[in-house]
Amino acid sequence: MSADIGRIFHALSDNARRSMVEELSNGPLSVSQLAQPFDMTLAAVVQHVNLLESCGLIKTYKQGRVRTCELETTALIAAEKWLQGRKRLWERRLDRLGDVLSED
Amino acid sequence: MSADIGRIFHALSDNARRSMVEELSNGPLSVSQLAQPFDMTLAAVVQHVNLLESCGLIKTYKQGRVRTCELETTALIAAEKWLQGRKRLWERRLDRLGDVLSED
DNA sequence: ACAATAGTCAAGCATTTGCTTTAGTAAAGG
DNA sequence: CCTTTACTAAAGCAAATGCTTGACTATTGT
């Protein structure tokens, strides 16, 4: 569970993979379509796609010879929740601190 | 701006650094205190702290010989916003798709 | 049947990452 | 003053990462 969070953040730390996720948030694309904006081999793009799928950021299905990639929100939500959790703890602490300071 | 997002995600992709952020969300700690739970040299922890600070996840100030680390929410919020943005686009697209399908 | 398209697999390679060790500096405490 | 504490800076190293190339498979179009 919390080990997966690391893999999600790692996936999103790469500029190319983050761009791919951005493209896919506008709708599904084939691997070749996804590869088009990038100055790298199709083989490299496939490796990125595999990594994105393995950590649950995208889902893919193949029909005929074309593999279609589609965004999956579950990993996105998991990462969001982790960030919110840290922020919430921090803010709650500041609130308690404020309470103590405003005592008379 | 969007280049920084990559550095934030990269910082959070490491288990040790993510644990440090988790610890710091409960309140500020000195570098030595922060290092205590980890099976690694202080020098290694300092390197993590430097990286966390350089991408805006934490803030540090030194007084005497002790350097205190404190969580900063700005980077946390930036990452959260990016994730929300992707999720929102994707969900809006699903909504439009639903509208088209429910036409009579 | 033959070629073009779409993707896959494996090996190899330069760079980056996460550490370590060693050698320092500066502030506190006895 | 001398030692301990808290951290820092630099060099080095093994493992991981992001690519490439080359060879290959499976589907589609002519």
PDB file of all heavy atoms in Angstrom, chain B residues 33-68:
ATOM      1  N   GLN B  33      17.594  14.531  15.170  1.00  0.00           N
ATOM      2  CA  GLN B  33      16.330  13.902  15.561  1.00  0.00           C
ATOM      3  C   GLN B  33      15.687  13.220  14.363  1.00  0.00           C
ATOM      4  O   GLN B  33      15.201  12.090  14.454  1.00  0.00           O
ATOM      5  CB  GLN B  33      15.370  14.945  16.133  1.00  0.00           C
ATOM      6  CG  GLN B  33      15.754  15.455  17.506  1.00  0.00           C
ATOM      7  CD  GLN B  33      14.826  16.570  17.963  1.00  0.00           C
ATOM      8  OE1 GLN B  33      14.438  17.442  17.177  1.00  0.00           O
ATOM      9  NE2 GLN B  33      14.470  16.557  19.238  1.00  0.00           N
ATOM     10  N   LEU B  34      15.711  13.906  13.253  1.00  0.00           N
ATOM     11  CA  LEU B  34      15.135  13.382  12.020  1.00  0.00           C
ATOM     12  C   LEU B  34      15.870  12.115  11.587  1.00  0.00           C
ATOM     13  O   LEU B  34      15.272  11.181  11.057  1.00  0.00           O
ATOM     14  CB  LEU B  34      15.261  14.456  10.934  1.00  0.00           C
ATOM     15  CG  LEU B  34      14.425  14.279   9.674  1.00  0.00           C
ATOM     16  CD1 LEU B  34      12.953  14.282  10.015  1.00  0.00           C
ATOM     17  CD2 LEU B  34      14.746  15.390   8.684  1.00  0.00           C
ATOM     18  N   ALA B  35      17.171  12.076  11.838  1.00  0.00           N
ATOM     19  CA  ALA B  35      18.020  10.956  11.402  1.00  0.00           C
ATOM     20  C   ALA B  35      17.805   9.704  12.237  1.00  0.00           C
ATOM     21  O   ALA B  35      17.990   8.584  11.750  1.00  0.00           O
ATOM     22  CB  ALA B  35      19.489  11.368  11.466  1.00  0.00           C
ATOM     23  N   GLN B  36      17.406   9.884  13.495  1.00  0.00           N
ATOM     24  CA  GLN B  36      17.351   8.794  14.468  1.00  0.00           C
ATOM     25  C   GLN B  36      16.707   7.488  13.980  1.00  0.00           C
ATOM     26  O   GLN B  36      17.294   6.426  14.144  1.00  0.00           O
ATOM     27  CB  GLN B  36      16.659   9.291  15.741  1.00  0.00           C
ATOM     28  CG  GLN B  36      17.310   8.751  17.013  1.00  0.00           C
ATOM     29  CD  GLN B  36      16.521   9.170  18.237  1.00  0.00           C
ATOM     30  OE1 GLN B  36      16.243  10.352  18.431  1.00  0.00           O
ATOM     31  NE2 GLN B  36      16.150   8.216  19.055  1.00  0.00           N
ATOM     32  N   PRO B  37      15.510   7.523  13.370  1.00  0.00           N
ATOM     33  CA  PRO B  37      14.877   6.257  12.979  1.00  0.00           C
ATOM     34  C   PRO B  37      15.563   5.554  11.820  1.00  0.00           C
ATOM     35  O   PRO B  37      15.238   4.403  11.528  1.00  0.00           O
ATOM     36  CB  PRO B  37      13.470   6.680  12.549  1.00  0.00           C
ATOM     37  CG  PRO B  37      13.318   8.091  12.959  1.00  0.00           C
ATOM     38  CD  PRO B  37      14.667   8.675  13.042  1.00  0.00           C
ATOM     39  N   PHE B  38      16.495   6.213  11.165  1.00  0.00           N
ATOM     40  CA  PHE B  38      17.052   5.641   9.940  1.00  0.00           C
ATOM     41  C   PHE B  38      18.386   4.952  10.168  1.00  0.00           C
ATOM     42  O   PHE B  38      19.197   5.384  10.983  1.00  0.00           O
ATOM     43  CB  PHE B  38      17.200   6.726   8.877  1.00  0.00           C
ATOM     44  CG  PHE B  38      15.902   7.330   8.459  1.00  0.00           C
ATOM     45  CD1 PHE B  38      15.486   8.545   8.971  1.00  0.00           C
ATOM     46  CD2 PHE B  38      15.074   6.659   7.577  1.00  0.00           C
ATOM     47  CE1 PHE B  38      14.267   9.092   8.600  1.00  0.00           C
ATOM     48  CE2 PHE B  38      13.858   7.200   7.199  1.00  0.00           C
ATOM     49  CZ  PHE B  38      13.454   8.413   7.714  1.00  0.00           C
ATOM     50  N   ASP B  39      18.584   3.876   9.420  1.00  0.00           N
ATOM     51  CA  ASP B  39      19.820   3.123   9.480  1.00  0.00           C
ATOM     52  C   ASP B  39      20.770   3.663   8.410  1.00  0.00           C
ATOM     53  O   ASP B  39      21.133   2.967   7.478  1.00  0.00           O
ATOM     54  CB  ASP B  39      19.508   1.635   9.245  1.00  0.00           C
ATOM     55  CG  ASP B  39      20.723   0.765   9.442  1.00  0.00           C
ATOM     56  OD1 ASP B  39      21.642   1.204  10.167  1.00  0.00           O
ATOM     57  OD2 ASP B  39      20.763  -0.340   8.869  1.00  0.00           O
ATOM     58  N   MET B  40      21.124   4.913   8.544  1.00  0.00           N
ATOM     59  CA  MET B  40      22.057   5.513   7.578  1.00  0.00           C
ATOM     60  C   MET B  40      22.822   6.642   8.267  1.00  0.00           C
ATOM     61  O   MET B  40      22.432   7.104   9.344  1.00  0.00           O
ATOM     62  CB  MET B  40      21.318   6.007   6.333  1.00  0.00           C
ATOM     63  CG  MET B  40      20.532   7.287   6.506  1.00  0.00           C
ATOM     64  SD  MET B  40      19.730   7.897   4.979  1.00  0.00           S
ATOM     65  CE  MET B  40      18.249   6.896   4.859  1.00  0.00           C
ATOM     66  N   THR B  41      23.946   7.014   7.672  1.00  0.00           N
ATOM     67  CA  THR B  41      24.777   8.056   8.286  1.00  0.00           C
ATOM     68  C   THR B  41      24.069   9.401   8.315  1.00  0.00           C
ATOM     69  O   THR B  41      23.172   9.661   7.532  1.00  0.00           O
ATOM     70  CB  THR B  41      26.089   8.236   7.500  1.00  0.00           C
ATOM     71  OG1 THR B  41      25.877   7.851   6.172  1.00  0.00           O
ATOM     72  CG2 THR B  41      27.203   7.450   8.125  1.00  0.00           C
ATOM     73  N   LEU B  42      24.525  10.238   9.235  1.00  0.00           N
ATOM     74  CA  LEU B  42      23.982  11.589   9.309  1.00  0.00           C
ATOM     75  C   LEU B  42      24.233  12.328   8.008  1.00  0.00           C
ATOM     76  O   LEU B  42      23.381  13.083   7.536  1.00  0.00           O
ATOM     77  CB  LEU B  42      24.637  12.334  10.480  1.00  0.00           C
ATOM     78  CG  LEU B  42      24.053  13.694  10.822  1.00  0.00           C
ATOM     79  CD1 LEU B  42      22.637  13.548  11.333  1.00  0.00           C
ATOM     80  CD2 LEU B  42      24.910  14.415  11.852  1.00  0.00           C
ATOM     81  N   ALA B  43      25.397  12.088   7.421  1.00  0.00           N
ATOM     82  CA  ALA B  43      25.746  12.727   6.149  1.00  0.00           C
ATOM     83  C   ALA B  43      24.696  12.431   5.081  1.00  0.00           C
ATOM     84  O   ALA B  43      24.304  13.325   4.317  1.00  0.00           O
ATOM     85  CB  ALA B  43      27.114  12.275   5.682  1.00  0.00           C
ATOM     86  N   ALA B  44      24.231  11.188   5.049  1.00  0.00           N
ATOM     87  CA  ALA B  44      23.217  10.805   4.073  1.00  0.00           C
ATOM     88  C   ALA B  44      21.910  11.552   4.344  1.00  0.00           C
ATOM     89  O   ALA B  44      21.260  12.051   3.419  1.00  0.00           O
ATOM     90  CB  ALA B  44      22.986   9.305   4.116  1.00  0.00           C
ATOM     91  N   VAL B  45      21.548  11.646   5.620  1.00  0.00           N
ATOM     92  CA  VAL B  45      20.318  12.353   5.990  1.00  0.00           C
ATOM     93  C   VAL B  45      20.401  13.825   5.587  1.00  0.00           C
ATOM     94  O   VAL B  45      19.442  14.381   5.055  1.00  0.00           O
ATOM     95  CB  VAL B  45      20.044  12.212   7.505  1.00  0.00           C
ATOM     96  CG1 VAL B  45      18.873  13.082   7.927  1.00  0.00           C
ATOM     97  CG2 VAL B  45      19.782  10.764   7.864  1.00  0.00           C
ATOM     98  N   VAL B  46      21.565  14.432   5.815  1.00  0.00           N
ATOM     99  CA  VAL B  46      21.755  15.830   5.433  1.00  0.00           C
ATOM    100  C   VAL B  46      21.526  16.010   3.938  1.00  0.00           C
ATOM    101  O   VAL B  46      20.908  16.982   3.503  1.00  0.00           O
ATOM    102  CB  VAL B  46      23.166  16.318   5.826  1.00  0.00           C
ATOM    103  CG1 VAL B  46      23.474  17.666   5.200  1.00  0.00           C
ATOM    104  CG2 VAL B  46      23.290  16.406   7.342  1.00  0.00           C
ATOM    105  N   GLN B  47      21.999  15.052   3.147  1.00  0.00           N
ATOM    106  CA  GLN B  47      21.797  15.130   1.699  1.00  0.00           C
ATOM    107  C   GLN B  47      20.311  15.099   1.353  1.00  0.00           C
ATOM    108  O   GLN B  47      19.852  15.847   0.485  1.00  0.00           O
ATOM    109  CB  GLN B  47      22.540  13.991   1.004  1.00  0.00           C
ATOM    110  CG  GLN B  47      24.053  14.229   0.924  1.00  0.00           C
ATOM    111  CD  GLN B  47      24.820  13.000   0.470  1.00  0.00           C
ATOM    112  OE1 GLN B  47      24.270  12.120  -0.192  1.00  0.00           O
ATOM    113  NE2 GLN B  47      26.098  12.931   0.815  1.00  0.00           N
ATOM    114  N   HIS B  48      19.562  14.251   2.048  1.00  0.00           N
ATOM    115  CA  HIS B  48      18.116  14.190   1.828  1.00  0.00           C
ATOM    116  C   HIS B  48      17.462  15.511   2.232  1.00  0.00           C
ATOM    117  O   HIS B  48      16.603  16.037   1.532  1.00  0.00           O
ATOM    118  CB  HIS B  48      17.508  13.035   2.617  1.00  0.00           C
ATOM    119  CG  HIS B  48      17.769  11.690   2.020  1.00  0.00           C
ATOM    120  ND1 HIS B  48      17.441  11.370   0.720  1.00  0.00           N
ATOM    121  CD2 HIS B  48      18.323  10.578   2.540  1.00  0.00           C
ATOM    122  CE1 HIS B  48      17.782  10.114   0.475  1.00  0.00           C
ATOM    123  NE2 HIS B  48      18.329   9.614   1.564  1.00  0.00           N
ATOM    124  N   VAL B  49      17.889  16.033   3.377  1.00  0.00           N
ATOM    125  CA  VAL B  49      17.339  17.301   3.865  1.00  0.00           C
ATOM    126  C   VAL B  49      17.590  18.421   2.854  1.00  0.00           C
ATOM    127  O   VAL B  49      16.697  19.209   2.543  1.00  0.00           O
ATOM    128  CB  VAL B  49      17.926  17.655   5.247  1.00  0.00           C
ATOM    129  CG1 VAL B  49      17.654  19.108   5.598  1.00  0.00           C
ATOM    130  CG2 VAL B  49      17.370  16.731   6.322  1.00  0.00           C
ATOM    131  N   ASN B  50      18.811  18.467   2.314  1.00  0.00           N
ATOM    132  CA  ASN B  50      19.146  19.491   1.316  1.00  0.00           C
ATOM    133  C   ASN B  50      18.236  19.388   0.101  1.00  0.00           C
ATOM    134  O   ASN B  50      17.745  20.399  -0.412  1.00  0.00           O
ATOM    135  CB  ASN B  50      20.601  19.356   0.890  1.00  0.00           C
ATOM    136  CG  ASN B  50      21.552  19.822   1.963  1.00  0.00           C
ATOM    137  OD1 ASN B  50      21.186  20.601   2.848  1.00  0.00           O
ATOM    138  ND2 ASN B  50      22.778  19.333   1.923  1.00  0.00           N
ATOM    139  N   LEU B  51      18.013  18.149  -0.341  1.00  0.00           N
ATOM    140  CA  LEU B  51      17.164  17.948  -1.506  1.00  0.00           C
ATOM    141  C   LEU B  51      15.721  18.380  -1.214  1.00  0.00           C
ATOM    142  O   LEU B  51      15.088  19.059  -2.027  1.00  0.00           O
ATOM    143  CB  LEU B  51      17.223  16.490  -1.931  1.00  0.00           C
ATOM    144  CG  LEU B  51      16.710  16.168  -3.336  1.00  0.00           C
ATOM    145  CD1 LEU B  51      17.467  15.003  -3.931  1.00  0.00           C
ATOM    146  CD2 LEU B  51      15.218  15.886  -3.342  1.00  0.00           C
ATOM    147  N   LEU B  52      15.231  17.991  -0.041  1.00  0.00           N
ATOM    148  CA  LEU B  52      13.859  18.358   0.340  1.00  0.00           C
ATOM    149  C   LEU B  52      13.702  19.873   0.401  1.00  0.00           C
ATOM    150  O   LEU B  52      12.681  20.424  -0.009  1.00  0.00           O
ATOM    151  CB  LEU B  52      13.504  17.728   1.692  1.00  0.00           C
ATOM    152  CG  LEU B  52      13.233  16.224   1.692  1.00  0.00           C
ATOM    153  CD1 LEU B  52      13.147  15.678   3.111  1.00  0.00           C
ATOM    154  CD2 LEU B  52      11.953  15.903   0.923  1.00  0.00           C
ATOM    155  N   GLU B  53      14.747  20.540   0.916  1.00  0.00           N
ATOM    156  CA  GLU B  53      14.667  22.000   1.015  1.00  0.00           C
ATOM    157  C   GLU B  53      14.744  22.645  -0.367  1.00  0.00           C
ATOM    158  O   GLU B  53      14.022  23.602  -0.648  1.00  0.00           O
ATOM    159  CB  GLU B  53      15.791  22.527   1.909  1.00  0.00           C
ATOM    160  CG  GLU B  53      15.698  24.041   2.113  1.00  0.00           C
ATOM    161  CD  GLU B  53      16.591  24.538   3.245  1.00  0.00           C
ATOM    162  OE1 GLU B  53      17.662  23.936   3.454  1.00  0.00           O
ATOM    163  OE2 GLU B  53      16.195  25.525   3.906  1.00  0.00           O
ATOM    164  N   SER B  54      15.622  22.105  -1.226  1.00  0.00           N
ATOM    165  CA  SER B  54      15.832  22.710  -2.545  1.00  0.00           C
ATOM    166  C   SER B  54      14.586  22.668  -3.417  1.00  0.00           C
ATOM    167  O   SER B  54      14.445  23.462  -4.343  1.00  0.00           O
ATOM    168  CB  SER B  54      16.996  22.030  -3.254  1.00  0.00           C
ATOM    169  OG  SER B  54      16.557  20.813  -3.837  1.00  0.00           O
ATOM    170  N   CYS B  55      13.668  21.767  -3.128  1.00  0.00           N
ATOM    171  CA  CYS B  55      12.449  21.721  -3.944  1.00  0.00           C
ATOM    172  C   CYS B  55      11.244  22.244  -3.173  1.00  0.00           C
ATOM    173  O   CYS B  55      10.112  22.120  -3.623  1.00  0.00           O
ATOM    174  CB  CYS B  55      12.212  20.320  -4.481  1.00  0.00           C
ATOM    175  SG  CYS B  55      11.667  19.143  -3.270  1.00  0.00           S
ATOM    176  N   GLY B  56      11.500  22.845  -2.011  1.00  0.00           N
ATOM    177  CA  GLY B  56      10.445  23.567  -1.304  1.00  0.00           C
ATOM    178  C   GLY B  56       9.533  22.722  -0.442  1.00  0.00           C
ATOM    179  O   GLY B  56       8.485  23.197   0.000  1.00  0.00           O
ATOM    180  N   LEU B  57       9.906  21.472  -0.177  1.00  0.00           N
ATOM    181  CA  LEU B  57       9.057  20.647   0.681  1.00  0.00           C
ATOM    182  C   LEU B  57       9.276  20.946   2.156  1.00  0.00           C
ATOM    183  O   LEU B  57       8.386  20.739   2.980  1.00  0.00           O
ATOM    184  CB  LEU B  57       9.313  19.158   0.405  1.00  0.00           C
ATOM    185  CG  LEU B  57       8.549  18.572  -0.781  1.00  0.00           C
ATOM    186  CD1 LEU B  57       9.147  17.257  -1.224  1.00  0.00           C
ATOM    187  CD2 LEU B  57       7.077  18.377  -0.422  1.00  0.00           C
ATOM    188  N   ILE B  58      10.482  21.392   2.487  1.00  0.00           N
ATOM    189  CA  ILE B  58      10.744  21.796   3.865  1.00  0.00           C
ATOM    190  C   ILE B  58      11.530  23.104   3.880  1.00  0.00           C
ATOM    191  O   ILE B  58      12.038  23.550   2.847  1.00  0.00           O
ATOM    192  CB  ILE B  58      11.539  20.731   4.663  1.00  0.00           C
ATOM    193  CG1 ILE B  58      12.955  20.580   4.102  1.00  0.00           C
ATOM    194  CG2 ILE B  58      10.826  19.393   4.653  1.00  0.00           C
ATOM    195  CD1 ILE B  58      13.882  19.751   4.974  1.00  0.00           C
ATOM    196  N   LYS B  59      11.610  23.685   5.050  1.00  0.00           N
ATOM    197  CA  LYS B  59      12.312  24.940   5.280  1.00  0.00           C
ATOM    198  C   LYS B  59      13.218  24.626   6.464  1.00  0.00           C
ATOM    199  O   LYS B  59      12.840  23.856   7.347  1.00  0.00           O
ATOM    200  CB  LYS B  59      11.261  25.975   5.666  1.00  0.00           C
ATOM    201  CG  LYS B  59      11.705  27.379   5.813  1.00  0.00           C
ATOM    202  CD  LYS B  59      10.494  28.331   5.930  1.00  0.00           C
ATOM    203  CE  LYS B  59       9.421  27.882   6.939  1.00  0.00           C
ATOM    204  NZ  LYS B  59       8.400  28.901   7.210  1.00  0.00           N
ATOM    205  N   THR B  60      14.438  25.162   6.468  1.00  0.00           N
ATOM    206  CA  THR B  60      15.301  24.920   7.620  1.00  0.00           C
ATOM    207  C   THR B  60      15.930  26.223   8.081  1.00  0.00           C
ATOM    208  O   THR B  60      16.122  27.149   7.290  1.00  0.00           O
ATOM    209  CB  THR B  60      16.446  23.923   7.305  1.00  0.00           C
ATOM    210  OG1 THR B  60      17.449  24.571   6.528  1.00  0.00           O
ATOM    211  CG2 THR B  60      15.943  22.696   6.581  1.00  0.00           C
ATOM    212  N   TYR B  61      16.209  26.285   9.382  1.00  0.00           N
ATOM    213  CA  TYR B  61      16.926  27.440   9.916  1.00  0.00           C
ATOM    214  C   TYR B  61      17.877  26.936  10.981  1.00  0.00           C
ATOM    215  O   TYR B  61      17.585  25.977  11.703  1.00  0.00           O
ATOM    216  CB  TYR B  61      15.971  28.489  10.484  1.00  0.00           C
ATOM    217  CG  TYR B  61      14.837  27.925  11.295  1.00  0.00           C
ATOM    218  CD1 TYR B  61      14.947  27.813  12.681  1.00  0.00           C
ATOM    219  CD2 TYR B  61      13.661  27.482  10.696  1.00  0.00           C
ATOM    220  CE1 TYR B  61      13.916  27.293  13.441  1.00  0.00           C
ATOM    221  CE2 TYR B  61      12.626  26.944  11.450  1.00  0.00           C
ATOM    222  CZ  TYR B  61      12.755  26.852  12.818  1.00  0.00           C
ATOM    223  OH  TYR B  61      11.744  26.325  13.569  1.00  0.00           O
ATOM    224  N   LYS B  62      19.003  27.595  11.054  1.00  0.00           N
ATOM    225  CA  LYS B  62      20.048  27.118  11.952  1.00  0.00           C
ATOM    226  C   LYS B  62      20.226  28.113  13.080  1.00  0.00           C
ATOM    227  O   LYS B  62      20.265  29.324  12.861  1.00  0.00           O
ATOM    228  CB  LYS B  62      21.359  26.978  11.187  1.00  0.00           C
ATOM    229  CG  LYS B  62      22.367  26.097  11.891  1.00  0.00           C
ATOM    230  CD  LYS B  62      23.456  25.643  10.932  1.00  0.00           C
ATOM    231  CE  LYS B  62      24.382  24.647  11.611  1.00  0.00           C
ATOM    232  NZ  LYS B  62      25.403  24.140  10.673  1.00  0.00           N
ATOM    233  N   GLN B  63      20.329  27.560  14.277  1.00  0.00           N
ATOM    234  CA  GLN B  63      20.565  28.458  15.402  1.00  0.00           C
ATOM    235  C   GLN B  63      21.563  27.731  16.288  1.00  0.00           C
ATOM    236  O   GLN B  63      21.322  26.615  16.743  1.00  0.00           O
ATOM    237  CB  GLN B  63      19.221  28.830  16.010  1.00  0.00           C
ATOM    238  CG  GLN B  63      18.863  28.480  17.395  1.00  0.00           C
ATOM    239  CD  GLN B  63      17.360  28.796  17.643  1.00  0.00           C
ATOM    240  OE1 GLN B  63      16.750  29.650  16.971  1.00  0.00           O
ATOM    241  NE2 GLN B  63      16.749  28.106  18.569  1.00  0.00           N
ATOM    242  N   GLY B  64      22.712  28.366  16.432  1.00  0.00           N
ATOM    243  CA  GLY B  64      23.836  27.691  17.064  1.00  0.00           C
ATOM    244  C   GLY B  64      24.338  26.616  16.130  1.00  0.00           C
ATOM    245  O   GLY B  64      24.536  26.886  14.944  1.00  0.00           O
ATOM    246  N   ARG B  65      24.480  25.407  16.644  1.00  0.00           N
ATOM    247  CA  ARG B  65      24.974  24.344  15.765  1.00  0.00           C
ATOM    248  C   ARG B  65      23.863  23.413  15.315  1.00  0.00           C
ATOM    249  O   ARG B  65      24.104  22.452  14.607  1.00  0.00           O
ATOM    250  CB  ARG B  65      26.076  23.547  16.482  1.00  0.00           C
ATOM    251  CG  ARG B  65      25.597  22.858  17.707  1.00  0.00           C
ATOM    252  CD  ARG B  65      26.697  22.182  18.511  1.00  0.00           C
ATOM    253  NE  ARG B  65      26.206  21.908  19.857  1.00  0.00           N
ATOM    254  CZ  ARG B  65      26.868  21.176  20.753  1.00  0.00           C
ATOM    255  NH1 ARG B  65      28.047  20.687  20.474  1.00  0.00           N
ATOM    256  NH2 ARG B  65      26.351  20.970  21.933  1.00  0.00           N
ATOM    257  N   VAL B  66      22.622  23.688  15.747  1.00  0.00           N
ATOM    258  CA  VAL B  66      21.543  22.799  15.346  1.00  0.00           C
ATOM    259  C   VAL B  66      20.644  23.395  14.267  1.00  0.00           C
ATOM    260  O   VAL B  66      20.222  24.543  14.329  1.00  0.00           O
ATOM    261  CB  VAL B  66      20.726  22.289  16.585  1.00  0.00           C
ATOM    262  CG1 VAL B  66      20.789  23.266  17.736  1.00  0.00           C
ATOM    263  CG2 VAL B  66      19.305  21.962  16.234  1.00  0.00           C
ATOM    264  N   ARG B  67      20.403  22.586  13.273  1.00  0.00           N
ATOM    265  CA  ARG B  67      19.579  22.978  12.132  1.00  0.00           C
ATOM    266  C   ARG B  67      18.204  22.337  12.282  1.00  0.00           C
ATOM    267  O   ARG B  67      18.081  21.116  12.354  1.00  0.00           O
ATOM    268  CB  ARG B  67      20.259  22.498  10.847  1.00  0.00           C
ATOM    269  CG  ARG B  67      19.503  22.824   9.586  1.00  0.00           C
ATOM    270  CD  ARG B  67      20.360  22.414   8.402  1.00  0.00           C
ATOM    271  NE  ARG B  67      19.711  22.535   7.123  1.00  0.00           N
ATOM    272  CZ  ARG B  67      20.192  21.986   6.007  1.00  0.00           C
ATOM    273  NH1 ARG B  67      21.327  21.288   6.053  1.00  0.00           N
ATOM    274  NH2 ARG B  67      19.566  22.121   4.865  1.00  0.00           N
ATOM    275  N   THR B  68      17.212  23.178  12.344  1.00  0.00           N
ATOM    276  CA  THR B  68      15.849  22.685  12.541  1.00  0.00           C
ATOM    277  C   THR B  68      15.115  22.620  11.204  1.00  0.00           C
ATOM    278  O   THR B  68      15.201  23.549  10.401  1.00  0.00           O
ATOM    279  CB  THR B  68      15.095  23.595  13.527  1.00  0.00           C
ATOM    280  OG1 THR B  68      15.849  23.687  14.735  1.00  0.00           O
ATOM    281  CG2 THR B  68      13.722  23.040  13.831  1.00  0.00           C
TER     282      THR B  68
END
